[in-house]
Amino acid sequence: NWFPVDATPRCLLEQLVQAIFRSHAGDGGGFDPSNAGAEWWTLSIDPEDDIGLHFDKDYGTEADTGENATPSVATVTYLSDEGAPTIVLDQPCPARVGDPLDDGTAPIRAGWLSFPKPGKHVRFDGRLLHGAPALGTSGVPCGGRGRRRRRRVSLLVNCWIDRRPRLASPLPEDLARRLSPRLTRVPFALATPSEIVRLSSTPGGSGGGSCADFHWSVAQEGEGESTLFVRLPIDRIAEVAQEVPGASIELQFHFGGAVCFEN
């Protein structure tokens, strides 16, 4: 869905989307309000399902011109504590379709893991590779345990300050009328950032424990698939996730600890 920055919210969801955009992009300073706004959608999946690694793009422009245009800021707002953590890699999107993901000049040195927690809000550079791939039987918890089965629910909002993605369109009027009405008070505010735990991909680093290797596909429209190899300090990740609900983790990759390669 598309919500222009200068539009009036018609429902609670649009009011929340507008507040998120203004929190990260402001009210119009430094960009043209007539051409800026928020691309947004909701996602509700089973806790065992994963979200493959991908780049957020203007897919209409990609198909027409081959340009990979990305949002300025990408955000995730969690509405449940179920499912796999979001992973963001310090791997920017190639400028054009057909350009290699890894040109050998800038190895992936960092990444971030964000475990779901109701009300938690995450923002990151909209150019970066991200997803929520399942960690399998690694021992990393995937949400509340011992409760009635629930779903991984999230609100995704991308902030665009220089263009409207060609395939994004406003929420239909009849659907907006059926959603919860807007509130007198904006239902979103940025709080003090949560503590970030820093872990290393080197076995025995960051408090000990073993590492596990993962191979995840990276979908590229019109370009086939690439693969990300990543080594994670899985024991320490599991410990932190158990101790801190909705944990945020910064990953430090040593040489070869995170690599994209073409299939």
Side-chain angles (χ1 to χ4, degrees):
N1 301 291
W2 177 252
F3 185 82
V5 67
D6 55 358
T8 299
R10 299 166 295 171
C11 60
L12 178 58
L13 263 178
E14 288 189 340
Q15 189 180 23
L16 179 55
V17 168
Q18 182 187 62
I20 290 172
F21 181 92
R22 288 179 173 176
S23 295
H24 298 303
D27 292 316
F31 58 87
D32 179 6
S34 66
N35 200 35
E39 177 191 23
W40 67 275
W41 63 101
T42 58
L43 192 60
S44 176
I45 61 176
D46 287 332
E48 293 79 12
D49 291 344
D50 61 358
I51 303 167
L53 293 174
H54 63 283
F55 296 102
D56 289 345
K57 308 177 187 179
D58 178 349
Y59 291 104
T61 295
E62 177 196 54
D64 291 344
T65 70
E67 176 191 1
N68 286 332
T70 56
S72 298
V73 175
T75 75
V76 182
T77 304
Y78 302 101
L79 304 177
S80 74
D81 60 358
E82 303 291 333
T86 302
I87 185 169
V88 180
L89 283 305
D90 191 18
Q91 171 67 58
C93 183
R96 297 191 59 81
V97 172
D99 289 351
L101 258 183
D102 180 15
D103 60 7
T105 62
I108 301 173
R109 295 294 192 185
W112 298 267
L113 281 175
S114 171
F115 283 83
K117 180 181 179 181
K120 182 181 180 182
H121 177 76
V122 177
R123 63 154 287 175
F124 54 92
D125 187 328
R127 300 172 300 168
L128 298 184
L129 181 65
H130 61 282
L135 297 180
T137 57
S138 60
V140 175
C142 291
R145 293 165 297 282
R147 301 180 304 191
R148 183 169 58 88
R149 183 178 182 83
R150 296 172 58 191
R151 295 177 67 81
R152 186 186 194 275
V153 185
S154 55
L155 170 66
L156 299 308
V157 180
N158 286 342
C159 301
W160 296 81
I161 63 173
D162 56 357
R163 71 171 71 214
R164 169 178 169 174
R166 295 190 185 183
L167 301 182
S169 58
L171 186 71
E173 183 65 37
D174 61 334
L175 180 55
R177 286 197 301 265
R178 286 184 279 141
L179 296 176
S180 299
R182 53 184 296 189
L183 304 177
T184 56
R185 183 177 179 181
V186 177
F188 177 84
L190 294 178
T192 303
S194 59
E195 180 182 356
I196 297 177
V197 178
R198 290 172 173 82
L199 301 178
S200 170
S201 66
T202 301
S206 302
S210 63
C211 289
D213 295 343
F214 294 86
H215 293 81
W216 291 318
S217 295
V218 180
Q220 293 257 70
E221 292 292 332
E223 304 173 55
E225 284 192 345
S226 300
T227 296
L228 171 74
F229 164 81
V230 62
R231 176 164 294 155
L232 298 178
I234 209 67
D235 288 348
R236 285 291 293 125
I237 289 173
E239 290 174 8
V240 172
Q242 290 279 5
E243 295 169 359
V244 183
S248 300
I249 297 172
E250 179 179 335
L251 301 166
Q252 299 171 345
F253 298 116
H254 292 265
F255 185 78
V259 179
C260 280
F261 54 90
E262 309 295 327
N263 290 349

